[in-house]
Amino acid sequence: MTGIPGVGKTTVLNELRVLAEQYRVNLTVLNFGTIMKEIMRELGRDVHRDDMREQEIEEQRKVQALAANEIVNRVRQGTVVIDTHMFVRTAAGMWAGLPANILEKLGPRLLVLIEAEPEQIASRRRGDTDRRRDQILAEEIGFDLEWSRATAAVSAVATGAPVKVIRNDAGRQKQAAEELFETIRKLTSVQP
Ligand code: AP5
């Protein structure tokens, strides 16, 4: 599951956890950034989660691969939902969050894009005062949404996984989670 910073991925996933408990579905949510942060700390680099994208790209690439291994090893049953990014804005440029080597390791059955209106995303970022978010303009957010879709299309071709676009409009995080939950249920009721 992916979406640009501040679109509300974590908020929707918190609602998804509630639904999974309610319907007794074995579902685990893992945050890719949190696992990268833990790995960086183990490597002796205690970096704030919002500063990870500022690190040398080769270091990020190494930690990204270790995080994917960790995810594969951590959960071996049930449905695993990974909270992550189609791309990360780094000093080196727009860098894929799910490049080919990571997609191959994770083998996703579904790719999800969470979207909202650019103005709403900008306003959510401004409201998150405990985070060091890039305060970019709504037009630039529009570009990032397009870039996410383009990257998702490439990932869909590479993996054969469908791409589901889910809107997280103001006050509608529960509905977004319900849509995601239903999509997962339909997909997992048919075993490969
Ligand atoms: P990550 O933790 O994913 O950072 P993020 O994108 O900033 O994610 P957040 O959880 O902070 O934001 P969100 O979009 O989930 O929004 P939220 O729910 O908080 O990743 C951290 C870092 O890890 C990345 O920057 C990168 O460096 C690294 N990383 C991650 N994956 C990687 C990968 N694959 N490869 C390489 N590096 C990777 O909501 C925001 C606000 O909006 C909140 O205040 C919330 O209350 C509000 N809100 C949400 N939904 C609604 C709604 N429907 N109505 C009203 N308000 C809402």
Side-chain angles (χ1 to χ4, degrees):
M1 170 154 158
T2 68
I4 67 171
V7 75
K9 297 180 298 298
T10 306
T11 304
V12 172
L13 286 175
N14 287 340
E15 298 289 347
L16 184 78
R17 277 198 190 94
V18 173
L19 287 170
E21 274 174 32
Q22 198 179 324
Y23 291 95
R24 297 177 194 281
V25 170
N26 182 0
L27 184 141
T28 307
V29 177
L30 296 175
N31 182 295
F32 203 107
T34 301
I35 294 172
M36 283 183 65
K37 187 171 167 13
E38 286 166 11
I39 290 170
M40 277 196 178
R41 203 176 41 226
E42 280 163 20
L43 295 173
R45 304 261 287 107
D46 201 1
V47 178
H48 187 281
R49 65 188 304 114
D50 292 329
D51 292 336
M52 289 195 299
R53 61 182 177 271
E54 308 294 343
Q55 308 308 304
E56 286 293 327
I57 197 78
E58 280 316 317
E59 182 183 4
Q60 291 187 67
R61 203 190 306 280
K62 185 174 86 180
V63 176
Q64 183 188 53
L66 291 170
N69 288 342
E70 173 65 22
I71 287 170
V72 170
N73 289 332
R74 206 176 272 193
V75 190
R76 292 186 180 276
Q77 56 172 5
T79 300
V80 183
V81 179
I82 304 168
D83 181 349
T84 188
H85 294 263
M86 275 296 159
F87 73 92
V88 180
R89 271 183 181 260
T90 71
M94 314 292 257
W95 176 55
L98 299 170
N101 61 316
I102 303 298
L103 283 173
E104 199 179 331
K105 273 184 196 155
L106 299 178
R109 290 185 62 198
L110 175 70
L111 300 161
V112 180
L113 282 177
I114 300 292
E115 296 188 348
E117 286 304 313
E119 291 75 15
Q120 278 182 25
I121 299 172
S123 139
R124 288 175 196 170
R125 285 188 190 180
R126 281 194 297 274
D128 274 350
T129 47
D130 57 331
R131 296 290 302 266
R132 292 204 283 275
R133 296 194 184 279
D134 290 340
Q135 299 299 336
I136 60 177
L137 300 171
E139 298 86 74
E140 291 174 282
I141 290 178
F143 174 88
D144 285 3
L145 290 168
E146 289 302 318
W147 193 268
S148 293
R149 284 189 170 204
T151 312
V154 174
S155 305
V157 173
T159 58
V163 177
K164 179 81 179 170
V165 180
I166 295 180
R167 299 275 309 180
N168 178 32
D169 292 323
R172 296 188 61 84
Q173 55 269 39
K174 278 202 171 94
Q175 286 84 348
E178 279 163 9
E179 193 178 345
L180 177 58
F181 189 65
E182 272 317 301
T183 308
I184 291 172
R185 283 240 281 209
K186 280 187 192 140
L187 200 68
T188 51
S189 65
V190 183
Q191 295 302 324

